Every structure is written in structure tokens, then in C-alpha cells.
Amino acid sequence: MDSDELLDGAACGDLGPTAEAFDPVLEVFKRDLDFSLVEKNLRLSTDQRAQQLVNATRFLSRFRPLVAQPAREP
Amino acid sequence: MITDFEKALATLTAGGVEFILIGGVAGALHGSSFLTQDLDIVYARNTQNIRRLASALRAHQPYLRGAPEGLPFTWDERTIANGLNFTLTTGFGDLVLLGEATGGGRYEDLLPHSSVVTGFGVSFRLLDLDKLIVLKRAAGRPKDLAVIAELQRILETRKPRQS
């Protein structure tokens, strides 16, 4: 695709899908979503969500180095 | 909400519960960049361990995640013994307890594929990366595909190259 084609697309108003546009691939992914997890997040304040991220990040930064990782041979 | 992973593991460890950490947190500990919200474990189904599991979590008010409030749910040895897999919400966050994991079997089956992680006052078994990928693949969920791809790349960096 060259720049002329990009301009043509924009000129036709083809700016890509809207947020809610149907996509069968996304529908397949949605089937596995456990939205009960998200619902709880939505009830939290931004500060509370940030604190949880801090806790999770702290946990991973502390424990990742404890997990043995065999060195790759050259 | 994101589970307080450290508190959850400390609770299980302090209660003497035999379990193996699997799922997204295990993947993250192996180096995955995907951050998960809940903690997934496979627990041993022997009588003593069921008793320990019931006791360890009781104070944290486990309840069935996503279930309407007010259902008659009692967290005790009988409930655990009569069930197998539990998706719970607790005082420290969301916890998935599996008596049997798809593609991996029970605690005893996974034990040889796990190693002990010790530090910061807790000690727990972590499922090895190879087996973790097997479990993720067996689950067959499209949303896991990106995670599996990343875990495979991590595995490739660890294993000697075949020539």
C-alpha cells in the first residue's frame, strides 16, 4: 500500500471500524471472558485499582527472581 | 479486583495446604508479560489437605464468584469433599481451586512437574513452564493463544537449541 492509497481511503471516509463494530473473531474471544472479574474492577476507584496493580507488580518483582531459570546453552 | 497474590499464598502456606500454583500467575512468574487477576491452584484431594484447605480459607469468607448474594453456601470440609473445582471470591481476592486440571490431572499427577519456590516467608509449588503450556493448550480457549505463544517463546529461550 502506498501513500496514494492511504489518502484515497481517508478521502472515502474509511477510517477503520468503530468501537462497537461486529467482528466474528472478537465474538469468539468474548465467549471465554469471565466478566465477573471485570465487574469487581468497575466497582473500584481508580486509586484502588492502582494500589492493586502496585501490589501485583511488587509480588512479581519479588518472586520472579526466585523461580529457577535454566541458562540457555550457546 | 486483582487478588492480593502474596496474601493468598501466605494464607495457604500458613495453613499447610498442599497445592501447586498454575494459571496466569504461574505464567507471570515464569516471565510472561500478561498480568492476571485471580490465583489458580491445584490442591491435593486427600482428607487431611481438604481439612487444612477448609480451615485456611474460612476466615477469609470464601463465596462462589459470580453467584447471587445470599445463597446457602458453607465453606467446610464437606463442601470441598463433595465438589471438585471451585471458583471463589475471598477477602484477599479471587481464587480458583482445582481438584483436577484439564490436561494435567490431579495434584499427584502434576507434582513431578512442579518445583518449590521459597522466599519472603512463603513456600509454594509452582508448575513447570512445559506443563503450564500443556494445560493452557488443553483448555482450548482462544483468549489464551497470545499467552501460549509468549510462553513458548520463553521456553525456547530456556532450552538448548537443537542442531
Side-chain angles (χ1 to χ4, degrees), chain B residues 20 42 99-100 104-114 127 131:
Chain B
I20 299 170
V42 174
E100 190 168 333
R106 297 190 170 222
Y107 174 85
E108 293 77 12
D109 302 315
L110 292 174
L111 201 55
H113 305 281
S114 69
L127 192 64
K131 199 67 176 179

Side-chain angles (χ1 to χ4, degrees), chain B residues 35-148:
Chain B
L35 183 60
T36 188
Q37 299 227 102
D38 53 1
L39 192 80
D40 300 350
I41 67 163
V42 174
Y43 66 97
R45 290 279 296 173
N46 62 67
T47 306
Q48 296 87 349
N49 199 51
I50 286 176
R51 186 176 303 134
R52 288 192 285 261
L53 183 58
S55 174
L57 295 183
R58 190 171 295 126
H60 301 279
Q61 300 172 308
Y63 192 68
L64 298 170
R65 193 170 84 205
E69 289 181 23
L71 287 182
F73 177 74
T74 305
W75 181 251
D76 58 16
E77 296 167 43
R78 190 175 168 187
T79 297
I80 303 171
N82 288 338
L84 181 66
N85 298 339
F86 301 89
T87 303
L88 301 173
T89 181
T90 74
F92 50 71
D94 298 308
L95 186 62
V96 177
L97 307 176
L98 300 176
E100 190 168 333
T102 303
R106 297 190 170 222
Y107 174 85
E108 293 77 12
D109 302 315
L110 292 174
L111 201 55
H113 305 281
S114 69
S115 49
V116 177
V117 177
T118 303
F120 304 103
V122 301
S123 183
F124 59 90
R125 286 198 161 271
L126 173 69
L127 192 64
D128 294 344
L129 183 55
D130 302 63
K131 199 67 176 179
L132 183 63
I133 294 171
V134 170
L135 260 60
K136 286 267 182 201
R137 296 186 79 160
R141 300 180 300 189
K143 71 167 189 170
D144 285 337
L145 291 176
V147 180
I148 293 168

Side-chain angles (χ1 to χ4, degrees), chain A residues 1-34:
Chain A
M1 181 180 287
D2 59 31
S3 58
D4 288 344
E5 287 175 299
L6 286 170
L7 285 172
D8 287 347
C12 295
D14 180 14
L15 299 176
T18 63
E20 294 175 286
F22 179 83
D23 184 327
V25 175
L26 291 178
E27 296 306 311
V28 171
F29 276 67
K30 281 181 192 172
R31 281 203 311 243
D32 297 322
L33 285 180
D34 182 352

Side-chain angles (χ1 to χ4, degrees), chain A:
Chain A
M1 181 180 287
D2 59 31
S3 58
D4 288 344
E5 287 175 299
L6 286 170
L7 285 172
D8 287 347
C12 295
D14 180 14
L15 299 176
T18 63
E20 294 175 286
F22 179 83
D23 184 327
V25 175
L26 291 178
E27 296 306 311
V28 171
F29 276 67
K30 281 181 192 172
R31 281 203 311 243
D32 297 322
L33 285 180
D34 182 352
F35 209 72
S36 64
L37 291 169
V38 181
E39 284 168 344
K40 286 196 208 175
N41 282 340
L42 298 179
R43 286 199 288 267
L44 299 176
S45 68
T46 305
D47 283 354
Q48 288 171 318
R49 289 178 206 153
Q51 186 57 52
Q52 289 190 349
L53 278 172
V54 168
N55 291 344
T57 305
R58 185 188 62 190
F59 167 77
L60 291 175
S61 64
R62 292 172 90 178
F63 282 87
R64 261 184 188 148
L66 302 179
V67 177
Q69 297 188 14
R72 183 176 182 168
E73 291 179 4

